[in-house]
C-alpha cells in the first residue's frame, strides 16, 4: 500500500542534543510537509518542500531545519532541542496541494 | 491568531444518535475545507472535504455542511458508532495560484461515542 512512513514512532533526546526525524513516502507526491503538534493544540506547519524548493514558515524557529535528498525522503533536524520542542511531529505529502496524506507521527520527548 | 477554531474540546454522544462537530474560520480566502479523524498514536486520516462552491457534501454516515456567510462548517455523523470515538480536526486551505495549498488546522474535538 502506498503510504507515508515516519521513523521512529517515539524518540527521546537529551536537552540540546541534535536529533533527526525521518519521513518516507511511496505515493510519489511532489510536496512534503512537516507539522508540529503540541498537546491539545492544532497541528502547526513548520515548513514544506514543493519538489526541491524549500518553504519555511515565517514563525518557524531557526532551531528547526529540513532536508529532502530525493522525492521519497524528507528529514526534520532539530539542532538543539529544548523542553518546549517536545511534541508530535507529523509528516504529510500531497500532489500539488491535494490528496494530503499523513504519516503516523513521531512523538519527541526531550529530557 | 487562530484562523480555524473548534470551540468544543470534547463531545459525548450515545451510540446511534447524531454527532455534530462544529468549526468556525476567520479567513474569507479559504475555499476548501477538510475533516480529519485522529486516533491516539496515529496520524490524522482524511474523512471528508467540501469546496466553497458547495454547501453540503455527503459520504455514507458523514455529511459536512458549509455556511460561507457565517464562516462556519459542521460535520454530522449519523448514526454514531463507538468506533467513531477519536479526535476530529477541521482544516482549511486557500488556493494560492497553483503552488501548494497549506492546511490550517483547528485544535480538534474529542468525540466519545458511548455504547
Amino acid at each position: 500500500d502506498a503510504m507515508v512512513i515516519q521513523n521512529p514512532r517515539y524518540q527521546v533526546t537529551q536537552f540540546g542534543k541534535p536529533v533527526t526525524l525521518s519521513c518516507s513516502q511511496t505515493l510519489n507526491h511532489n510536496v512534503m510537509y512537516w507539522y508540529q503538534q503540541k498537546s491539545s493544540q492544532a497541528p502547526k506547519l513548520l515548513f514544506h518542500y514543493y519538489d526541491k524548493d524549500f518553504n519555511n514558515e515565517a514563525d518557524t524557529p531557526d532551531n528547526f531545519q529540513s532536508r529532502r535528498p530525493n522525492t521519497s525522503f524528507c528529514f526534520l533536524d532539530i539542532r538543539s532541542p529544548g523542553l518546549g520542542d517536545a511534541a508530535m511531529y507529523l509528516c504529510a505529502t500531497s500532489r500539488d496541494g491535494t490528496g494530503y496524506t499523513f504519516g503516523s507521527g513521531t512523538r519527541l520527548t526531550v529530557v | 491568531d487562530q484562523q480555524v477554531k473548534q470551540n468544543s474540546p470534547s463531545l459525548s454522544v450515545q451510540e446511534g444518535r447524531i454527532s455534530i462537530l462544529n468549526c468556525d474560520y476567520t479567513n474569507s480566502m479559504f475555499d476548501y475545507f477538510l475533516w480529519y479523524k485522529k486516533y491516539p498514536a496515529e496520524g490524522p486520516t482524511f474523512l471528508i472535504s467540501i469546496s466553497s462552491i458547495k454547501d453540503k457534501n455527503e459520504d455514507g454516515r458523514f455529511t459536512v455542511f458549509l455556511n460561507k456567510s457565517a464562516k462556519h462548517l459542521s460535520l454530522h455523523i449519523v448514526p454514531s458508532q463507538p468506533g467513531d470515538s477519536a479526535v476530529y480536526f477541521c482544516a482549511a486551505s486557500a488556493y494560492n495560484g497553483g503552488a501548494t495549498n497549506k492546511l490550517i488546522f483547528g485544535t480538534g474535538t474529542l468525540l466519545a461515542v458511548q455504547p
Side-chain angles (χ1 to χ4, degrees), chain A residues 51-111:
Chain A
D51 295 322
K52 294 182 180 180
D53 294 332
F54 177 70
N55 299 271
N56 200 30
E57 293 301 298
D59 55 355
T60 298
D62 293 339
N63 198 25
F64 291 85
Q65 298 186 339
S66 185
R67 295 170 284 134
R68 188 179 185 185
N70 54 53
T71 302
S72 301
F73 285 87
C74 195
F75 300 97
L76 170 61
D77 300 310
I78 309 176
R79 291 191 298 184
S80 182
L83 298 178
D85 296 327
M88 172 74 84
Y89 289 88
L90 295 165
C91 173
T93 69
S94 78
R95 165 64 55 187
D96 293 319
T98 63
Y100 256 83
T101 304
F102 283 85
S104 297
T106 294
R107 180 162 296 282
L108 178 68
T109 301
V110 181
V111 298

Side-chain angles (χ1 to χ4, degrees), chain A residues 25-42:
Chain A
Q25 56 130 340
T26 60
L27 296 160
N28 202 30
H29 281 172
N30 62 330
V31 190
M32 295 187 77
Y33 312 81
W34 279 104
Y35 283 84
Q36 179 193 62
Q37 186 189 9
K38 296 185 178 180
S39 181
S40 301
Q41 295 185 21

Side-chain angles (χ1 to χ4, degrees), chain A residues 9-10 31 33 35 37 42-43 45 48 50 57 90 96-97 100 102-104, chain B residues 2 36 38 41-44 46 89 98-107:
Chain A
R9 292 294 302 274
Y10 301 91
V31 190
Y33 312 81
Y35 283 84
Q37 186 189 9
L45 183 64
H48 71 276
Y50 183 75
E57 293 301 298
L90 295 165
D96 293 319
Y100 256 83
F102 283 85
S104 297
Chain B
Q2 191 73 23
Y36 282 83
K38 185 180 184 301
E42 294 184 14
F46 171 75
F89 288 99
T100 56
N101 293 336
K102 296 185 291 186
L103 292 184
I104 308 299
F105 283 87
T107 52

